[in-house]
């Protein structure tokens, strides 16, 4: 279904095509606007700009719906695994048993990183932020495995996806080991995806780490919930870089950099930091909420609010329940969970948050889940990046397989000085 929108400018009426997506989302096609009217649209932060047509992920932010390739996140969270979800997100349908086995083999075979690459870890200072190491090393992969960047058919695409999804986990664990001064641990072919990561994170030469099924399941869930989230900041970055025909690894390394910021993936660290600060300072939750409302020194309720969700983020609902289950199964408790629950209650009953439709997002409870698994805080955003890799790959694939895609190149409205005369150096 499509129609016509009429726009009146300087006394003239222009007709613009409209386009409606498969879920009824409506858009006005402005691709010819500048040519026909001389105007462009202005949309700070792109809140009203559809940058592409995509068949990967659907979000209804008002209803709190998230679907990967049409499948609700709640169904995947209850039944699928990260590897299966990754294949679904990238290749558009649930894998057959044959697809799964082939992809699992590719993941297993791709887990090692080049021996020369292992030496790079020694060159970083021990205090290097893991996200800096991760983005640098993902870029480095294209130097060590140039073949994987040559993608011209389904087979090479699947191999490249497996290389990236598998090696990002090895790089992440290696960067953690380097940061704590322990030897890097080789991956094992016999372990599944989540278990292999936990092995590389926590095994030491004198003792193998054996994760409990509950811990592995919790990690799988965390990764699945982060697998894609349509045109967020890092995914748009990957598409932007990919639109110049930059290779998959370079494009995803750029995604890692975008994810790093505290308003995006870095919010999972900021949220736990905030809960710890509340705990250590001993201030009542109500007082902290007042600080947020009064905008004291830019204090925000981290893990709350979202550009798209104006209702519960369905991922935060799943995580909230899962945190409870995992802590019970592991017979652990976390005082930060009590503070988080109290904060959520206070915010959801406060006019400031209600009027602005601010609800817990994925980052509000995810840090508590990662703490329960034993992941240190400095690795939280890296964990988000491992989880988001399928989404970045799928978006890169979508843009590269579309014969009509053009290089991303937004315009601007210039507001700087006009026609300034150059002054000789001695007269300035
Ligand atoms: N705490 C207090 N006030 C907030 C918050 C918050 N977390 N989020 C938004 N607001 C206020 C904001 O100050 C503004 O108020 P006013 O209209 O009076 O100026 C209003 O709500 C609208 O917010 P906005 O900043 O225009 O919203 P945005 O769509 O530009 O930003 C956001 C979305 C997620 C960056 C923002 O809500 C935020 O900074 N949240 C905290 C950081 C966070 O949790 N980020 C993770 C996002 S989900 C995962 C991901 O994408 O990585």
């Amino acid at each position: 279904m499509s129609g016509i929108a009429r726009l009146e400018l300087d006394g003239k009426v222009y007709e613009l095509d409209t386009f409606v997506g498969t879920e009824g989302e409506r858009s006005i096609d402005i691709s010819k606007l500048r040519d026909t009217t001389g105007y462009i649209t202005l949309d700070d932060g792109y809140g009203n700009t559809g940058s592409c047509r995509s068949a990967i992920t659907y979000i209804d932010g008002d209803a709190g719906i998230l679907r990967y390739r049409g499948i609700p996140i709640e169904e995947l969270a209850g039944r699928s695994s990260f590897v299966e979800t990754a294949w679904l997100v990238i290749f558009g349908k649930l894998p057959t048993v044959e697809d799964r086995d082939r992809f699992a083999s590719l993941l297993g075979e791709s887990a090692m990183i080049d021996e020369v690459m292992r030496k790079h870890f020694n060159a970083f200072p021990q205090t290097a932020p893991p996200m800096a190491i991760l983005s640098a090393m993902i870029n480095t992969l294209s130097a060590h495995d140039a073949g994987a960047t040559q993608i011209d058919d389904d087979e090479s695409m699947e191999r490249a996806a497996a290389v990236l999804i598998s090696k990002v986990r090895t790089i992440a664990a290696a960067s953690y080991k380097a940061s704590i001064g322990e030897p890097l641990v080789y991956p094992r072919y016999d372990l599944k995806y989540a278990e292999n990561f936990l092995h590389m994170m926590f095994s030491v030469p004198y003792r193998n780490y054996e994760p409990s099924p509950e811990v592995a399941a919790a990690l799988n869930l965390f990764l699945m919930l982060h697998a894609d989230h349509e045109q967020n900041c890092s995914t748009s970055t990957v598409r932007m870089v990919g639109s110049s025909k930059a290779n998959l690894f370079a494009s995803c390394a750029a995604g890692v950099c975008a994810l790093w910021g505290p308003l995006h993936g870095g919010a999972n660290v900021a949220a736990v930091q905030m809960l710890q600060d509340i705990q250590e300072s001993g201030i009542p939750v109500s007082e902290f909420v007042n600080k947020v409302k009064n905008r004291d020194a830019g204090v925000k309720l981290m893990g709350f609010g979202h550009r798209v969700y104006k209702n519960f983020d369905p991922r935060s609902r799943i995580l909230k329940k899962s945190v409870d289950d995992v802590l019970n199964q592991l017979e652990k408790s976390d005082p930060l969970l009590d503070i988080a629950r109290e904060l959520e209650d206070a915010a959801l009953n406060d006019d400031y948050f209600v009027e602005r439709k601010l609800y817990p997002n994925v980052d509000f409870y995810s840090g508590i889940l990662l703490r329960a698994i034993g992941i240190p805080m400095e690795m939280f955003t890296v964990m988000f990046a491992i989880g988001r890799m399928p989404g970045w790959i799928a978006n890169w694939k979508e843009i590269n397989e579309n014969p009509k895609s053009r290089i991303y190149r937004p315009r601007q409205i210039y507001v700087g000085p006009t026609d300034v005369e150059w002054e000789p150096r001695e007269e300035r």
Side-chain angles (χ1 to χ4, degrees):
M1 194 181 76
S2 57
I4 297 290
R6 285 183 186 80
L7 174 71
E8 191 175 331
L9 278 174
D10 306 327
K12 205 170 158 200
V13 175
Y14 298 90
E15 291 198 335
L16 301 165
D17 286 339
T18 61
F19 178 77
V20 183
T22 50
E23 289 282 358
E25 290 164 304
R26 293 171 295 173
S27 62
I28 300 171
D29 183 346
I30 54 143
S31 50
K32 302 267 182 315
L33 188 69
R34 187 170 180 277
D35 284 349
T36 51
T37 68
Y39 282 77
I40 62 167
T41 55
L42 248 190
D43 185 18
D44 280 346
Y46 304 137
N48 294 285
T49 297
S51 63
C52 58
R53 293 166 216 226
S54 178
I56 303 168
T57 288
Y58 172 67
I59 300 175
D60 180 336
D62 296 317
I65 292 173
L66 167 63
R67 298 188 197 128
Y68 298 157
R69 300 289 187 177
I71 304 181
I73 190 69
E74 293 79 4
E75 280 194 34
L76 289 164
R79 300 181 185 178
S80 192
S81 69
F82 175 60
V83 169
E84 182 175 78
T85 300
W87 206 91
L88 165 76
V89 167
I90 299 169
F91 297 104
K93 55 184 172 59
L94 285 168
T96 60
V97 175
E98 207 177 84
D99 295 328
R100 259 214 74 150
D101 289 351
R102 189 184 59 251
F103 195 56
S105 289
L106 282 172
L107 287 171
E109 287 159 16
S110 310
M112 284 249 297
I113 50 173
D114 192 287
E115 277 305 298
V116 176
M117 211 175 145
R118 284 166 64 89
K119 293 191 188 131
H120 294 325
F121 288 98
N122 301 332
F124 289 102
Q126 214 167 330
T127 51
M131 287 296 271
I133 301 179
L134 191 70
S135 61
M137 290 304 229
I138 290 175
N139 234 335
T140 308
L141 279 178
S142 48
H144 287 283
D145 194 350
T149 64
Q150 301 301 318
I151 299 172
D152 34 36
D153 55 18
D154 288 352
E155 205 182 313
S156 48
M157 184 67 237
E158 191 177 40
R159 176 167 181 265
V163 166
L164 207 38
I165 290 174
S166 190
K167 289 197 197 315
V168 70
R169 155 190 71 161
T170 312
I171 293 170
S175 69
Y176 172 61
K177 287 293 193 188
S179 76
I180 55 169
E182 282 187 7
L184 311 193
V185 174
Y186 282 104
R188 277 172 43 188
Y189 190 79
D190 59 314
L191 294 179
K192 290 183 166 183
Y193 191 86
E195 284 85 342
N196 210 352
F197 172 70
L198 293 164
H199 153 71
M200 288 189 276
M201 281 286 288
F202 301 125
S203 285
V204 281
Y206 53 88
R207 196 184 52 235
N208 256 340
Y209 171 87
E210 301 288 345
S212 68
E214 291 81 15
V215 163
L219 179 54
N220 248 305
L221 178 73
F222 172 90
L223 296 173
M224 254 191 287
L225 293 180
H226 286 79
D228 192 39
H229 212 236
E230 55 119 301
Q231 301 313 312
N232 54 82
C233 178
S234 56
T235 303
S236 302
T237 302
V238 171
R239 281 185 93 109
M240 168 78 79
V241 178
S243 77
S244 76
K245 303 292 175 206
N247 74 58
L248 176 65
F249 296 78
S251 305
C252 290
V256 172
C257 296
L259 187 72
W260 194 351
L263 295 188
H264 192 10
N268 58 13
V269 176
V272 167
Q273 191 72 61
M274 171 189 77
L275 297 173
Q276 274 177 351
D277 290 348
I278 296 174
Q279 183 193 31
E280 279 159 24
S281 66
I283 65 163
V285 158
S286 55
E287 196 179 312
F288 181 79
V289 169
N290 282 335
K291 276 182 160 196
V292 172
K293 287 160 55 178
N294 298 335
R295 296 163 196 251
D296 281 4
V299 178
K300 270 187 167 181
L301 186 46
M302 298 312 281
F304 252 71
H306 200 276
R307 173 61 61 81
V308 180
Y309 292 117
K310 301 301 169 197
N311 196 329
F312 272 94
D313 176 338
R315 301 167 300 173
S316 82
R317 278 206 161 120
I318 298 170
L319 279 167
K320 184 179 179 183
K321 178 166 182 317
S322 160
V323 163
D324 259 343
D325 293 348
V326 172
L327 286 173
N328 281 337
Q329 283 159 356
L330 301 178
E331 296 176 3
K332 279 186 181 175
S333 64
D334 188 342
L336 297 193
L337 179 59
D338 300 328
I339 298 175
R341 283 206 195 103
E342 209 184 320
L343 257 182
E344 180 184 342
D345 256 14
L348 294 181
N349 289 299
D350 190 296
D351 284 349
Y352 174 96
F353 297 91
V354 174
E355 279 161 15
R356 290 170 178 77
K357 299 188 178 166
L358 301 172
Y359 290 86
N361 61 49
V362 69
D363 292 317
F364 196 64
Y365 287 106
S366 67
I368 301 177
L369 184 71
L370 290 175
R371 273 161 64 94
I373 299 174
I375 305 288
M377 193 153 80
E378 59 278 16
M379 291 294 288
F380 283 7
T381 315
V382 169
M383 302 304 297
F384 192 150
I386 299 174
R388 186 52 53 85
M389 201 49 81
W392 291 338
I393 296 170
N395 275 274
W396 184 93
K397 178 174 180 284
E398 194 169 67
I399 204 165
N400 273 274
E401 286 178 354
N402 179 359
K404 289 194 183 148
S405 72
R406 305 164 74 197
I407 188 165
Y408 277 25
R409 204 311 185 178
R411 288 190 175 260
Q412 62 164 25
I413 297 293
Y414 177 71
V415 293
T418 58
D419 207 9
V420 179
E421 215 173 290
W422 188 83
E423 283 173 87
R425 212 161 286 148
E426 55 282 5
E427 287 174 25
R428 285 174 217 163

Short mmCIF file of all heavy atoms in Angstrom, two decimals, residues 229 232 259 262-267 292 295 299-308 310 313 315 352-353 356 358 361-363 384, ligand 1:
data_model
loop_
_atom_site.label_atom_id
_atom_site.label_comp_id
_atom_site.label_asym_id
_atom_site.label_seq_id
_atom_site.Cartn_x
_atom_site.Cartn_y
_atom_site.Cartn_z
N HIS A 229 19.29 -4.82 16.86
CA HIS A 229 18.31 -3.85 17.35
C HIS A 229 18.10 -2.75 16.32
O HIS A 229 18.12 -1.57 16.63
CB HIS A 229 18.76 -3.28 18.71
CG HIS A 229 17.60 -2.95 19.57
ND1 HIS A 229 17.38 -1.72 20.10
CD2 HIS A 229 16.55 -3.72 19.96
CE1 HIS A 229 16.26 -1.74 20.80
NE2 HIS A 229 15.74 -2.94 20.72
N ASN A 232 20.23 1.33 15.36
CA ASN A 232 20.83 2.04 16.49
C ASN A 232 22.16 2.68 16.05
O ASN A 232 22.60 2.49 14.91
CB ASN A 232 21.05 1.06 17.64
CG ASN A 232 21.85 -0.13 17.18
OD1 ASN A 232 23.07 -0.06 17.10
ND2 ASN A 232 21.18 -1.20 16.79
N LEU A 259 29.67 1.74 19.69
CA LEU A 259 29.00 1.08 20.82
C LEU A 259 29.60 1.49 22.16
O LEU A 259 28.95 1.43 23.20
CB LEU A 259 29.11 -0.45 20.66
CG LEU A 259 28.31 -1.29 21.66
CD1 LEU A 259 26.82 -1.20 21.37
CD2 LEU A 259 28.76 -2.75 21.62
N PRO A 262 28.87 5.87 26.50
CA PRO A 262 27.96 5.59 27.62
C PRO A 262 26.48 5.77 27.30
O PRO A 262 25.63 5.29 28.03
CB PRO A 262 28.42 6.56 28.72
CG PRO A 262 29.18 7.63 28.02
CD PRO A 262 29.77 7.01 26.78
N LEU A 263 26.17 6.47 26.20
CA LEU A 263 24.74 6.59 25.86
C LEU A 263 24.27 5.39 25.06
O LEU A 263 23.08 5.22 24.80
CB LEU A 263 24.49 7.87 25.05
CG LEU A 263 24.74 9.18 25.78
CD1 LEU A 263 24.27 10.36 24.94
CD2 LEU A 263 24.07 9.21 27.15
N HIS A 264 25.22 4.55 24.64
CA HIS A 264 24.86 3.36 23.85
C HIS A 264 25.30 2.13 24.65
O HIS A 264 24.85 1.94 25.77
CB HIS A 264 25.55 3.50 22.49
CG HIS A 264 25.12 2.54 21.42
ND1 HIS A 264 24.03 1.72 21.54
CD2 HIS A 264 25.64 2.27 20.19
CE1 HIS A 264 23.91 0.99 20.44
NE2 HIS A 264 24.88 1.30 19.61
N GLY A 265 26.21 1.32 24.13
CA GLY A 265 26.58 0.06 24.82
C GLY A 265 27.25 0.30 26.16
O GLY A 265 27.14 -0.54 27.07
N GLY A 266 27.93 1.44 26.29
CA GLY A 266 28.61 1.74 27.55
C GLY A 266 27.65 1.95 28.71
O GLY A 266 28.07 2.01 29.87
N ALA A 267 26.34 2.01 28.41
CA ALA A 267 25.36 2.23 29.48
C ALA A 267 25.29 1.04 30.43
O ALA A 267 24.89 1.20 31.59
CB ALA A 267 23.98 2.52 28.88
N VAL A 292 18.36 13.08 39.84
CA VAL A 292 18.16 12.89 38.39
C VAL A 292 17.17 13.93 37.88
O VAL A 292 17.41 14.60 36.86
CB VAL A 292 17.65 11.46 38.09
CG1 VAL A 292 17.26 11.31 36.63
CG2 VAL A 292 18.69 10.41 38.47
N ARG A 295 18.46 17.27 37.54
CA ARG A 295 19.58 17.29 36.60
C ARG A 295 20.88 17.73 37.27
O ARG A 295 21.66 18.51 36.72
CB ARG A 295 19.29 18.18 35.40
CG ARG A 295 18.12 17.65 34.61
CD ARG A 295 17.53 18.67 33.68
NE ARG A 295 16.22 18.24 33.26
CZ ARG A 295 15.93 17.81 32.04
NH1 ARG A 295 16.84 17.79 31.13
NH2 ARG A 295 14.71 17.44 31.74
N VAL A 299 23.27 14.25 36.15
CA VAL A 299 22.98 12.87 36.59
C VAL A 299 21.77 12.35 35.82
O VAL A 299 20.72 12.99 35.77
CB VAL A 299 22.68 12.82 38.11
CG1 VAL A 299 22.33 11.39 38.54
CG2 VAL A 299 23.84 13.33 38.91
N LYS A 300 21.94 11.17 35.23
CA LYS A 300 20.84 10.52 34.52
C LYS A 300 20.56 9.18 35.18
O LYS A 300 21.46 8.63 35.83
CB LYS A 300 21.24 10.25 33.07
CG LYS A 300 20.91 11.37 32.11
CD LYS A 300 21.20 10.92 30.70
CE LYS A 300 20.58 11.89 29.70
NZ LYS A 300 20.83 11.48 28.32
N LEU A 301 19.40 8.66 34.98
CA LEU A 301 19.13 7.32 35.45
C LEU A 301 19.61 6.37 34.34
O LEU A 301 18.92 6.18 33.33
CB LEU A 301 17.63 7.17 35.72
CG LEU A 301 17.16 5.87 36.35
CD1 LEU A 301 18.03 5.47 37.53
CD2 LEU A 301 15.72 6.03 36.83
N MET A 302 20.81 5.85 34.52
CA MET A 302 21.41 5.04 33.46
C MET A 302 20.66 3.71 33.35
O MET A 302 20.29 3.12 34.37
CB MET A 302 22.91 4.81 33.73
CG MET A 302 23.72 6.09 33.76
SD MET A 302 23.40 7.20 32.37
CE MET A 302 24.35 6.45 31.07
N GLY A 303 20.48 3.26 32.11
CA GLY A 303 19.68 2.05 31.90
C GLY A 303 18.20 2.36 31.78
O GLY A 303 17.37 1.46 31.75
N PHE A 304 17.87 3.65 31.72
CA PHE A 304 16.49 4.08 31.55
C PHE A 304 16.37 4.95 30.30
O PHE A 304 17.29 5.69 29.97
CB PHE A 304 16.03 4.91 32.76
CG PHE A 304 15.07 4.18 33.63
CD1 PHE A 304 15.50 3.13 34.42
CD2 PHE A 304 13.72 4.54 33.68
CE1 PHE A 304 14.61 2.44 35.23
CE2 PHE A 304 12.83 3.86 34.49
CZ PHE A 304 13.27 2.82 35.27
N GLY A 305 15.23 4.87 29.65
CA GLY A 305 14.98 5.71 28.48
C GLY A 305 15.47 5.06 27.20
O GLY A 305 16.37 4.21 27.22
N HIS A 306 14.84 5.42 26.11
CA HIS A 306 15.24 4.85 24.82
C HIS A 306 14.68 5.72 23.71
O HIS A 306 13.58 6.25 23.83
CB HIS A 306 14.71 3.42 24.67
CG HIS A 306 15.45 2.62 23.66
ND1 HIS A 306 15.14 2.68 22.32
CD2 HIS A 306 16.51 1.79 23.77
CE1 HIS A 306 15.97 1.88 21.66
NE2 HIS A 306 16.81 1.34 22.51
N ARG A 307 15.44 5.85 22.63
CA ARG A 307 14.96 6.64 21.50
C ARG A 307 13.70 6.04 20.89
O ARG A 307 12.80 6.75 20.46
CB ARG A 307 16.09 6.74 20.46
CG ARG A 307 15.71 7.38 19.15
CD ARG A 307 15.26 8.82 19.27
NE ARG A 307 16.26 9.71 19.81
CZ ARG A 307 17.27 10.26 19.12
NH1 ARG A 307 17.39 10.01 17.85
NH2 ARG A 307 18.12 11.07 19.70
N VAL A 308 13.62 4.72 20.86
CA VAL A 308 12.50 4.07 20.17
C VAL A 308 11.43 3.55 21.15
O VAL A 308 10.24 3.74 20.93
CB VAL A 308 13.00 2.92 19.27
CG1 VAL A 308 11.85 2.24 18.55
CG2 VAL A 308 14.02 3.43 18.26
N LYS A 310 8.97 3.62 23.92
CA LYS A 310 8.29 4.55 24.82
C LYS A 310 7.38 3.71 25.71
O LYS A 310 6.30 4.12 26.13
CB LYS A 310 7.50 5.60 24.01
CG LYS A 310 8.40 6.42 23.08
CD LYS A 310 9.52 7.17 23.83
CE LYS A 310 10.57 7.77 22.90
NZ LYS A 310 11.82 8.13 23.57
N ASP A 313 11.08 -1.93 27.41
CA ASP A 313 11.96 -2.61 26.47
C ASP A 313 11.77 -4.11 26.76
O ASP A 313 12.03 -4.55 27.89
CB ASP A 313 13.40 -2.13 26.77
CG ASP A 313 14.46 -2.82 25.92
OD1 ASP A 313 14.19 -3.92 25.40
OD2 ASP A 313 15.57 -2.26 25.81
N ARG A 315 13.41 -6.59 26.18
CA ARG A 315 14.64 -7.26 26.62
C ARG A 315 14.85 -7.07 28.12
O ARG A 315 15.36 -7.95 28.80
CB ARG A 315 15.85 -6.73 25.84
CG ARG A 315 15.71 -6.91 24.34
CD ARG A 315 16.74 -6.11 23.58
NE ARG A 315 16.64 -4.68 23.86
CZ ARG A 315 17.50 -3.76 23.43
NH1 ARG A 315 18.53 -4.13 22.70
NH2 ARG A 315 17.32 -2.48 23.71
N TYR A 352 7.97 12.59 36.52
CA TYR A 352 9.06 12.97 35.60
C TYR A 352 9.29 11.85 34.57
O TYR A 352 9.37 12.10 33.37
CB TYR A 352 10.36 13.21 36.40
CG TYR A 352 11.59 13.46 35.54
CD1 TYR A 352 12.00 14.76 35.24
CD2 TYR A 352 12.32 12.40 34.98
CE1 TYR A 352 13.11 14.99 34.44
CE2 TYR A 352 13.43 12.62 34.18
CZ TYR A 352 13.82 13.92 33.92
OH TYR A 352 14.92 14.14 33.12
N PHE A 353 9.37 10.62 35.06
CA PHE A 353 9.67 9.49 34.16
C PHE A 353 8.43 9.08 33.38
O PHE A 353 8.51 8.72 32.21
CB PHE A 353 10.23 8.32 34.98
CG PHE A 353 11.54 8.66 35.64
CD1 PHE A 353 11.57 9.19 36.92
CD2 PHE A 353 12.74 8.50 34.97
CE1 PHE A 353 12.77 9.54 37.53
CE2 PHE A 353 13.94 8.86 35.56
CZ PHE A 353 13.95 9.39 36.84
N ARG A 356 7.71 11.48 30.47
CA ARG A 356 8.70 11.35 29.38
C ARG A 356 8.76 9.93 28.82
O ARG A 356 9.60 9.64 27.97
CB ARG A 356 10.08 11.77 29.88
CG ARG A 356 10.19 13.26 30.14
CD ARG A 356 11.48 13.62 30.84
NE ARG A 356 11.60 15.05 31.04
CZ ARG A 356 10.95 15.76 31.97
NH1 ARG A 356 10.12 15.14 32.79
NH2 ARG A 356 11.12 17.06 32.07
N LEU A 358 9.82 7.14 30.17
CA LEU A 358 11.15 6.55 30.40
C LEU A 358 10.98 5.23 31.16
O LEU A 358 10.48 5.21 32.28
CB LEU A 358 12.03 7.51 31.20
CG LEU A 358 12.27 8.88 30.56
CD1 LEU A 358 12.99 9.81 31.53
CD2 LEU A 358 13.10 8.74 29.28
N ASN A 361 15.66 0.08 30.09
CA ASN A 361 16.10 -0.49 28.80
C ASN A 361 16.98 -1.72 29.07
O ASN A 361 17.19 -2.12 30.21
CB ASN A 361 16.79 0.57 27.94
CG ASN A 361 18.04 1.13 28.59
OD1 ASN A 361 18.89 0.39 29.06
ND2 ASN A 361 18.14 2.46 28.63
N VAL A 362 17.51 -2.29 28.01
CA VAL A 362 18.27 -3.55 28.11
C VAL A 362 19.43 -3.46 29.11
O VAL A 362 19.82 -4.45 29.72
CB VAL A 362 18.78 -3.98 26.70
CG1 VAL A 362 19.87 -3.04 26.19
CG2 VAL A 362 19.26 -5.41 26.68
N ASP A 363 19.96 -2.24 29.28
CA ASP A 363 21.16 -2.10 30.10
C ASP A 363 20.86 -2.02 31.59
O ASP A 363 21.78 -2.02 32.41
CB ASP A 363 21.95 -0.86 29.66
CG ASP A 363 22.53 -1.04 28.28
OD1 ASP A 363 23.06 -2.14 28.02
OD2 ASP A 363 22.44 -0.12 27.45
N PHE A 384 28.49 -6.87 25.14
CA PHE A 384 27.44 -6.32 24.26
C PHE A 384 27.92 -6.44 22.80
O PHE A 384 27.17 -6.85 21.91
CB PHE A 384 27.21 -4.86 24.67
CG PHE A 384 25.98 -4.18 24.09
CD1 PHE A 384 25.33 -3.18 24.81
CD2 PHE A 384 25.48 -4.52 22.85
CE1 PHE A 384 24.21 -2.53 24.30
CE2 PHE A 384 24.35 -3.88 22.34
CZ PHE A 384 23.73 -2.88 23.06
N1 LIG B 1 17.37 9.82 33.01
C1 LIG B 1 16.79 11.02 33.19
N2 LIG B 1 16.19 11.72 32.20
C2 LIG B 1 16.19 11.18 30.98
C3 LIG B 1 16.78 9.93 30.72
C4 LIG B 1 17.39 9.25 31.79
N3 LIG B 1 17.98 8.06 31.59
N4 LIG B 1 16.65 9.63 29.41
C5 LIG B 1 15.98 10.67 28.86
N5 LIG B 1 15.71 11.60 29.81
C6 LIG B 1 14.94 12.85 29.64
C7 LIG B 1 15.76 13.87 28.85
O1 LIG B 1 16.52 14.67 29.74
C8 LIG B 1 14.68 14.62 28.12
O2 LIG B 1 14.06 15.48 29.07
P1 LIG B 1 13.52 16.94 28.60
O3 LIG B 1 12.52 16.66 27.52
O4 LIG B 1 12.95 17.55 29.82
O5 LIG B 1 14.74 17.66 28.09
C9 LIG B 1 13.64 13.55 27.79
O6 LIG B 1 13.82 12.53 28.79
C10 LIG B 1 13.83 12.95 26.39
O7 LIG B 1 15.13 12.38 26.32
P2 LIG B 1 16.14 12.53 25.11
O8 LIG B 1 17.53 12.70 25.65
O9 LIG B 1 15.64 13.55 24.15
O10 LIG B 1 16.00 11.12 24.45
P3 LIG B 1 16.93 10.51 23.34
O11 LIG B 1 16.04 9.67 22.51
O12 LIG B 1 17.74 11.56 22.65
O13 LIG B 1 17.98 9.62 24.17
C11 LIG B 1 18.87 7.84 25.42
C12 LIG B 1 17.79 8.27 24.42
C13 LIG B 1 18.82 6.33 25.55
C14 LIG B 1 20.24 8.26 24.94
C15 LIG B 1 18.53 8.49 26.79
O14 LIG B 1 17.29 8.06 27.27
C16 LIG B 1 19.63 8.23 27.82
O15 LIG B 1 20.61 8.95 27.87
N6 LIG B 1 19.46 7.16 28.67
C17 LIG B 1 20.50 6.80 29.61
C18 LIG B 1 21.58 6.03 28.89
C19 LIG B 1 21.16 4.63 28.53
O16 LIG B 1 20.58 3.92 29.33
N7 LIG B 1 21.48 4.22 27.28
C20 LIG B 1 21.18 2.87 26.79
C21 LIG B 1 20.17 2.89 25.69
S1 LIG B 1 19.51 1.25 25.30
C22 LIG B 1 20.83 0.32 24.70
C23 LIG B 1 21.60 0.95 23.62
O17 LIG B 1 21.07 1.58 22.71
O18 LIG B 1 22.82 0.79 23.64
#
